């Protein structure tokens, strides 16, 4: 079932959201200071491409650096990516078939606003450690 949902997601909005994250990642990687933000954008872009079967969890070793980084992230790229999820989610919720995908888009908004200090793990083991 996850595969079918992911394929439909890919066609409806996953590819476009992934490209948005990759574009943000490329722009952020231009400077040395922006490289950690670019890496986070690429990581979330892959998650936005194929989200069903995975979940985002808090990292236990994330500290104050993640908080400061998330504040900078919101200013630099987070708002634009969150707006993309909001508009795409609303558009998907206009049809009955698109409602689950719209809800999945809304679930990505907190991650698009604060990606640092998060880790993407398979849904069947969200509490597993590396």
């Amino acid at each position: 079932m996850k595969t079918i949902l992911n394929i439909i997601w890919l066609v409806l909005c996953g590819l476009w959201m992934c490209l948005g994250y990759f574009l943000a990642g490329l722009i952020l990687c231009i400077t040395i200071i922006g490289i950690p933000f670019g890496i986070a954008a690429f990581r979330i872009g892959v998650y936005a491409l194929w989200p069903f079967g995975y979940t985002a969890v808090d990292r236990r070793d994330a500290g104050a650096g993640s908080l400061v980084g998330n504040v900078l992230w919101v200013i630099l790229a987070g708002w634009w990516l969150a707006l993309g999820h909001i508009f795409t989610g609303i558009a998907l919720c206009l049809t009955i078939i698109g409602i689950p995908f719209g809800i999945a888009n809304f679930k990505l908004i907190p991650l698009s606003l604060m990606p640092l200090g998060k880790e993407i793990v398979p849904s069947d083991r969200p509490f597993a450690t590396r």
Side-chain angles (χ1 to χ4, degrees), residues 48-65:
L49 184 67
W50 207 256
F52 294 99
Y54 294 93
T55 188
V57 296
D58 293 327
R59 289 181 47 190
R60 294 182 190 180
D61 59 346

Side-chain angles (χ1 to χ4, degrees), residues 83-95 98 101-103 105-106:
L83 285 174
H85 284 295
I86 290 169
F87 291 133
T88 307
I90 290 171
L92 286 169
C93 284
L94 293 177
T95 65
F101 302 106
I103 292 170
N105 241 322
F106 294 140

Side-chain angles (χ1 to χ4, degrees), residues 26-75:
L26 286 174
I27 292 170
L28 289 168
C29 282
I30 291 173
T31 64
I32 293 174
I33 296 171
I35 291 174
F37 302 110
I39 292 170
F42 294 137
R43 183 171 34 101
I44 299 169
V46 172
Y47 178 53
L49 184 67
W50 207 256
F52 294 99
Y54 294 93
T55 188
V57 296
D58 293 327
R59 289 181 47 190
R60 294 182 190 180
D61 59 346
S66 295
L67 177 66
V68 172
N70 279 329
V71 170
L72 290 173
W73 171 269
V74 167
I75 295 168

